[in-house]
Structure formats: C-alpha cells, structure tokens
Amino acid sequence: MRVRFVTADRACNADAVPGERLLDVAQRAGMPLEGTCGGELACATCHVIVAAEDAGRLPPASEEEEDMLDLVPDARRTSRLSCQIRLTAQMDKLTVSLP
C-alpha cells in the first residue's frame, strides 16, 4: 500500500504495510515528524492533517488523542496524531499534510 505525504515544499509517496503506524512510515520516508513521546499520547510532535476526502476512512480519534490535539495551535478538523493511526488496507493511497 502507499501513503502520500505533503509538506510546504515537497510531496512524496511512501510504501507501507498494513498494521504499521503512520508515524513510522513517515519517519522512514524522511518526513520531519518527531514522535517525541514514542506514541504514548504525551505530546503532539507527530501531528498531521489528513486530507478531507480520506478522513472518513480512519477510525475516530480517541478521547486522549482529541485532548492532545486541543493543545496544537494549528489543529484542523481532520488533524490527527500519526502515532495513533494503524494503517489498514482500506487506507491505501491515504494523503496527509505536515503543518
């Protein structure tokens, strides 16, 4: 499966395997996402914005994830923490932007 990452100055497609965390795929593709807390929902350094047309293919954010996103100054309606997204085959060709 493939995931498309978009930054202010470039876009790239990355190969992914169902079951991987979106954060791990992004880091492997060289995207500037820290993931400082290692996926423990203690930071928001892996914040991404899911393309509006793809947002419905993801499971809803947990209450804990929503709480962390409340602390992100540039959060949007489709903002998510990439450490909390486990990829599935249904998410093939997912597009996310990095703020």
Side-chain angles (χ1 to χ4, degrees), residues 9-86:
D9 58 347
R10 71 180 178 122
C12 77
N13 292 315
D15 292 323
V17 176
E20 279 189 286
R21 291 185 315 169
L22 183 59
L23 173 62
D24 298 328
V25 176
Q27 289 176 332
R28 189 172 62 242
M31 294 292 103
L33 289 176
E34 289 182 34
T36 304
C37 73
E40 297 297 320
L41 287 169
C43 73
T45 60
C46 67
H47 169 231
V48 295
I49 301 166
V50 178
E53 61 272 14
D54 292 334
R57 296 194 289 149
L58 275 64
S62 67
E63 186 175 330
E64 293 86 1
E65 182 180 355
E66 291 284 352
D67 288 345
M68 287 309 304
L69 288 167
D70 286 342
L71 303 175
V72 176
D74 55 352
R76 301 199 180 125
R77 183 179 53 82
T78 61
S79 287
R80 295 295 301 267
L81 299 180
S82 60
C83 70
Q84 297 302 301
I85 299 173
R86 286 273 172 198

